[in-house]
Amino acid sequence: MKNWFESGAPWIWLNAGAVSISLVMVIGLVALIAVRGLGHFWPSAIAEIDYINEQGESIRLLGEHRQSETLTAAVMRESGFHVPEDQDLVVRHLLKLGNRDIFTRDFNWFLDRNMGEWRYPRDAVKVERREWGDFIGYVREVREQGVTVATGLEAQEALRQRAAHSASLMAEVSRIDRYEVGAINHRIEQLRLEQRRVEMNERLSAEEKQARYEVINAERQQLEIDYERLRERRNLKRQQAAAASAIFEAMDGRLVEINFSNVVRATAPNAMSFPAKVAEYFSRLWSFLSDYPREANTEGGIFPAIFGTVVMVFIMSIFVTPFGVLAAIYLREYAKQGPLTRAIRISVNNLAGVPSIVFGVFGLGFFVYFMGGNIDRIFYPEALPSPTFGTPGLIWVSLTLALLTLPVVIVSTEEGLARIPKTVREGSLALGATKAETLWRTVIPLASPAMMTGLILAVARAAGEVAPLMLVGVVKLAPNLPVDGQFPYVHLERSIMHLGFHIFDVGFQSPNVEAARPLVYATALVLVTIIIVLNLTAIAIRNRLREKYKSESD
């Protein structure tokens, strides 16, 4: 045994065990997130069940089964359910009933012992609405301009066709509002600022100001004419979408009319074949990735959050890489090694341990209020008192995260520079190269894999941060993306959405916890995927650099 310990084998097994446990935990966590998140988009069957409620009345349930659990009878009695004294365990099922506008709650628990046979009627439909969440019921008839055009089984096909047609019309309405009307509003705002600049310019004479006012007013009138044309076209599309409606029967028998302008998609999952369910699954998944959020982030997609996260990380990398690399080069290659340098190095290392919320407070005070406020006073006086850069935005989020991850890049780069053999430097100098030539043409290329390692760690930490972002530019809902077709195309002053903050908001701020839970898993999976993709890209670049300079380092 003594020889076995002295051979070092136990430590090898200990390390291998630690690595294995870490891998199992990571893979298990990702698998859990993937199963819970991706399963949300599968079109679940709609069950019809006869149920005896607490008052002894028989009611009809219609909904999707989400989960089942077994609890002790004592817990159920404390929750208000009547459980016989001779019963120790109770099985209950969570059903998504939808119809929040009718029943106030779209999820509810039901006791298994009070449930009858589970049936799956083929005429049960699920309608995804723009407001009030999903409707689950039976379609009874479809109306066009108030006239019934389909009933019974024919109504299902008519419902699907008209829902798809109305969805395309409403998508066109959304595109007009977001892009074409948005461009006109942006230009009108620019004209207002241009008029303010003319008013504040004391070097212009009254005649020159009047001439510029006329030009501005002429362009503004033309924009208003264009807006009226767009408004008419948008209203026409909206009226076409609203021309049809459908009558549905809810599970309690009441009839509900839903206008197709409020319908995103309509499906009858019990009547769908397996290929049709697969197609519907990928359609829902794509909508989740590419659409804008609705209903305070509890419905719709997460495209603005994905876009904001990627752009933020990209801009952060542009700032942190050169600053971190230059700081490390100075500390390792040029600074005189002494107490002051050691103190700076210790400070940089300690900076990595500062809580991220402290960086957020610093970013809010220094970047947003001080730098942004001064930029507004110097370059955008015509917009005051409304702030342009003196408010949380993309640029301040990126700079705060760059400051947060700067120690990681500095330490990694310094470690890479320290590993370059001294003989490489001496050989280069002996061949007549200057110190600068040795540094930039020999040392830095050999240390570039270490720089990429620092960038990988920085990207991973920046993409997952949430606390400081809430102070310096990430919001619950951003009306516009930071990149669009309006000059200057990249709007660094705009607030952005972020996947990490979206998870926090949906998971902890949503009033509908049951509806938000799968969205939290799905959004977390997207965030993890983005981080993995960014890291794999950086790792591929690092490996390529390592192979390129491998022979030189040998």
Side-chain angles (χ1 to χ4, degrees), residues 312 315-320 323 359 362-363 366-368 371-372 375 389 393-406 469 472 492:
M312 181 198 70
I315 295 177
M316 181 277 299
S317 303
I318 292 176
F319 282 116
V320 75
F323 279 105
F359 285 94
F362 174 81
F366 181 74
F367 291 131
V368 178
M371 288 186 64
I375 289 174
F389 279 90
L394 172 62
I395 182 66
W396 308 133
V397 173
S398 303
L399 283 174
T400 302
L401 286 181
L403 192 63
L404 178 69
T405 56
L406 187 62
L469 310 185
V472 290
L492 297 175

Side-chain angles (χ1 to χ4, degrees), residues 389-453:
F389 279 90
T391 185
L394 172 62
I395 182 66
W396 308 133
V397 173
S398 303
L399 283 174
T400 302
L401 286 181
L403 192 63
L404 178 69
T405 56
L406 187 62
V408 178
V409 179
I410 292 177
V411 171
S412 298
T413 306
E414 266 209 279
E415 291 296 325
L417 293 171
R419 284 201 299 269
I420 306 300
K422 189 177 180 181
T423 54
V424 173
R425 293 179 174 83
E426 292 175 347
S428 177
L429 294 172
L431 291 174
T434 64
K435 184 175 182 179
E437 290 173 337
T438 301
L439 179 65
W440 293 105
R441 296 186 179 181
T442 304
V443 176
I444 291 181
L446 292 176
S448 55
M451 299 174 191
M452 292 304 301
T453 300

Side-chain angles (χ1 to χ4, degrees), residues 12-237:
I12 296 175
W13 281 104
L14 185 64
N15 291 334
V19 171
S20 301
I21 292 173
S22 301
L23 283 175
V24 169
M25 292 176 65
V26 170
I27 294 173
L29 177 63
V30 174
L32 173 67
I33 295 173
V35 171
R36 295 288 182 87
L38 295 178
H40 169 65
F41 305 103
W42 183 257
S44 304
I46 299 176
E48 184 185 70
I49 311 161
D50 294 326
Y51 183 75
I52 307 299
N53 62 16
E54 292 302 304
Q55 290 73 37
E57 302 169 343
S58 177
I59 61 175
R60 181 179 60 176
L61 303 179
L62 189 68
E64 297 175 345
H65 176 247
R66 287 305 173 92
Q67 70 178 90
S68 301
E69 61 183 19
T70 303
L71 299 174
T72 62
V75 172
M76 296 303 298
R77 292 190 191 99
E78 292 175 358
S79 302
F81 288 92
H82 172 70
V83 180
E85 292 298 329
D86 58 344
Q87 189 170 354
D88 297 326
L89 297 176
V90 177
V91 178
R92 66 175 185 174
H93 305 284
L94 178 65
L95 297 183
K96 180 181 181 180
L97 305 176
N99 312 354
R100 191 164 64 231
D101 50 335
I102 301 176
F103 307 123
T104 67
R105 294 180 60 186
D106 44 7
F107 287 84
N108 213 339
W109 289 95
F110 297 94
L111 300 182
D112 180 73
R113 65 179 179 84
N114 293 348
M115 289 181 162
E117 181 186 2
W118 291 48
R119 304 177 298 275
Y120 297 93
R122 295 178 63 84
D123 59 340
V125 297
K126 177 181 177 181
V127 180
E128 182 180 347
R129 296 180 291 184
R130 301 181 192 280
E131 298 176 349
W132 298 107
D134 295 336
F135 179 91
I136 297 178
Y138 309 91
V139 58
R140 293 308 181 206
E141 60 181 83
V142 175
R143 296 176 178 176
E144 193 85 36
Q145 300 286 358
V147 178
T148 301
V149 295
T151 58
L153 294 178
E154 294 179 356
Q156 277 197 18
E157 182 60 22
L159 170 68
R160 190 186 61 81
Q161 292 178 355
R162 280 167 174 77
H165 179 63
S166 296
S168 65
L169 289 173
M170 293 305 294
E172 178 68 10
V173 170
S174 178
R175 190 194 64 79
I176 292 173
D177 283 338
R178 189 173 298 279
Y179 298 108
E180 297 188 38
V181 174
I184 290 178
N185 290 335
H186 176 76
R187 185 56 193 155
I188 289 177
E189 174 63 14
Q190 295 301 311
L191 290 177
R192 186 186 71 82
L193 297 177
E194 177 64 22
Q195 187 170 342
R196 279 278 294 163
R197 278 192 286 271
V198 172
E199 292 172 357
M200 297 170 63
N201 193 342
E202 298 178 352
R203 290 176 295 180
L204 295 176
S205 64
E207 291 75 14
E208 290 174 325
K209 287 185 178 181
Q210 184 60 34
R212 295 198 180 186
Y213 289 154
E214 292 176 358
V215 173
I216 291 172
N217 289 332
E219 186 173 354
R220 183 181 288 128
Q221 289 176 0
Q222 182 59 47
L223 289 172
E224 290 174 353
I225 293 173
D226 294 341
Y227 172 74
E228 286 300 321
R229 291 174 181 165
L230 278 179
R231 193 170 67 86
E232 291 176 2
R233 186 152 65 95
R234 179 192 60 187
N235 291 343
L236 178 61
K237 298 283 184 184

Side-chain angles (χ1 to χ4, degrees), residues 168-389:
S168 65
L169 289 173
M170 293 305 294
E172 178 68 10
V173 170
S174 178
R175 190 194 64 79
I176 292 173
D177 283 338
R178 189 173 298 279
Y179 298 108
E180 297 188 38
V181 174
I184 290 178
N185 290 335
H186 176 76
R187 185 56 193 155
I188 289 177
E189 174 63 14
Q190 295 301 311
L191 290 177
R192 186 186 71 82
L193 297 177
E194 177 64 22
Q195 187 170 342
R196 279 278 294 163
R197 278 192 286 271
V198 172
E199 292 172 357
M200 297 170 63
N201 193 342
E202 298 178 352
R203 290 176 295 180
L204 295 176
S205 64
E207 291 75 14
E208 290 174 325
K209 287 185 178 181
Q210 184 60 34
R212 295 198 180 186
Y213 289 154
E214 292 176 358
V215 173
I216 291 172
N217 289 332
E219 186 173 354
R220 183 181 288 128
Q221 289 176 0
Q222 182 59 47
L223 289 172
E224 290 174 353
I225 293 173
D226 294 341
Y227 172 74
E228 286 300 321
R229 291 174 181 165
L230 278 179
R231 193 170 67 86
E232 291 176 2
R233 186 152 65 95
R234 179 192 60 187
N235 291 343
L236 178 61
K237 298 283 184 184
R238 195 185 295 275
Q239 290 171 2
Q240 291 175 346
S245 63
I247 304 298
F248 297 90
E249 180 184 341
M251 71 179 192
D252 61 352
R254 75 181 75 178
L255 298 179
V256 179
E257 182 174 8
I258 299 177
N259 195 285
F260 278 98
S261 61
N262 191 29
V263 175
V264 177
R265 69 175 72 228
T267 55
N270 295 348
M272 296 171 70
S273 62
F274 181 75
K277 286 190 175 183
V278 172
E280 178 67 17
Y281 174 83
F282 284 104
S283 174
R284 292 183 183 182
L285 180 61
W286 175 246
S287 296
F288 178 70
L289 297 175
S290 60
D291 283 354
Y292 285 77
R294 306 189 309 271
E295 296 277 308
N297 287 345
T298 58
E299 303 282 347
I302 57 170
F303 176 70
I306 296 175
F307 193 85
T309 303
V310 174
V311 171
M312 181 198 70
V313 171
F314 182 72
I315 295 177
M316 181 277 299
S317 303
I318 292 176
F319 282 116
V320 75
T321 304
F323 279 105
V325 170
L326 290 175
I329 290 173
Y330 179 78
L331 288 174
R332 176 59 59 181
E333 302 292 333
Y334 288 103
K336 183 179 179 181
Q337 302 302 315
L340 180 60
T341 307
R342 285 197 295 273
I344 293 174
R345 194 169 281 121
I346 291 172
S347 301
V348 169
N349 292 335
N350 288 336
L351 199 61
V354 174
S356 59
I357 189 65
V358 176
F359 285 94
V361 174
F362 174 81
L364 179 66
F366 181 74
F367 291 131
V368 178
Y369 291 152
F370 178 74
M371 288 186 64
N374 283 304
I375 289 174
D376 284 350
R377 279 188 285 275
I378 296 172
F379 297 104
Y380 302 96
E382 70 279 1
L384 293 175
S386 299
T388 303
F389 279 90

